[in-house]
Amino acid sequence: MRSAINFLTGLHHRVFGFLERQGDAWLLGLTARFAFAAVLWFYFLNSAKTKVGEGLLGFFSISPGAYYQIALPAVEAAGGDVDAVAFFPWGLIVTMGTYAEFILPLLVVIGLFSRLAALGMIGFIAVQTFVDITVHQIGAESIGALFDRLPDSVIADQRLLWIVPLAVIILKGPGLLSVDSLLTKFRS
């Protein structure tokens, strides 16, 4: 009986050790970037589009809606007049948040400055969560809780799952099929 257990344990270690060694350099980062692209890239892209003007040149102008989404207390303090909101700090926060929502997901997907971009996205998600809870005052049922029996809360459950592939990219890198990897090869 003991030899059968030893055989199965050894087989397990050989098979899964081989798979881990083969995929370690490229598979985890690529899979994490693929999951991010498939699930979240268009979410962030569509959200970012609501914060800029229309058309190609509209990309360079921040829409009033961006202020309502990101800096609602400042807009309310200005009597609803977005033009009366001070640039520092609110206008700067809105501008940086808007363009970060375009740039950071793109960097994650193509694998350029991946670890920094993934770290920036985690920060972005944290700020987004803070704004959703404190400014937009979403209800407790949408916030949810970790370790409960309901796996579908918008904040606690979903955003934790958003962060997992980003954490993989930070820890393991973007994988061999990335711009970062190409730049490293050209630099060597």
Side-chain angles (χ1 to χ4, degrees):
M1 181 68 165
R2 189 158 186 76
S3 64
I5 292 173
N6 288 339
F7 172 76
L8 290 175
T9 304
L11 180 64
H12 175 273
H13 290 312
R14 284 191 301 277
V15 169
F16 289 105
F18 172 78
L19 291 174
E20 185 177 348
R21 286 188 302 279
Q22 296 305 308
D24 195 37
W26 65 276
L27 185 60
L28 284 176
L30 178 64
T31 304
R33 288 182 21 248
F34 175 80
F36 181 86
V39 176
L40 294 171
W41 188 23
F42 290 106
Y43 167 82
F44 284 112
L45 182 62
N46 287 328
S47 175
K49 285 180 185 178
T50 67
K51 295 175 179 76
V52 295
E54 300 213 7
L56 188 58
L57 293 177
F59 177 78
F60 299 103
S61 66
I62 304 295
S63 73
Y67 283 86
Y68 282 94
Q69 291 178 49
I70 299 172
L72 183 60
V75 174
E76 289 174 344
D81 182 10
V82 173
D83 294 328
V85 174
F87 180 76
F88 189 77
W90 296 109
L92 182 62
I93 291 169
V94 170
T95 301
M96 290 178 65
T98 297
Y99 291 115
E101 197 168 17
F102 278 108
I103 295 167
L104 291 174
L106 177 64
L107 292 176
V108 168
V109 169
I110 66 173
L112 178 61
F113 308 121
S114 305
R115 292 174 192 240
L116 288 174
L119 186 61
M121 280 304 306
I122 289 174
F124 187 91
I125 292 167
V127 170
Q128 176 187 21
T129 301
F130 177 77
V131 169
D132 284 345
I133 292 171
T134 61
V135 174
H136 299 294
Q137 300 178 349
I138 63 169
E141 68 283 346
S142 294
I143 295 171
L146 297 176
F147 305 106
D148 61 3
R149 63 180 180 80
L150 305 171
D152 60 350
S153 66
V154 173
I155 302 294
D157 296 329
Q158 287 182 8
R159 299 217 176 143
L160 175 61
L161 291 174
W162 292 4
I163 290 172
V164 169
L166 296 167
V168 169
I169 294 167
I170 292 168
L171 296 173
K172 300 299 278 182
L176 291 176
L177 299 174
S178 66
V179 176
D180 284 346
S181 179
L182 290 173
L183 290 175
T184 301
K185 287 179 185 176
F186 286 128
R187 205 178 75 171
S188 300

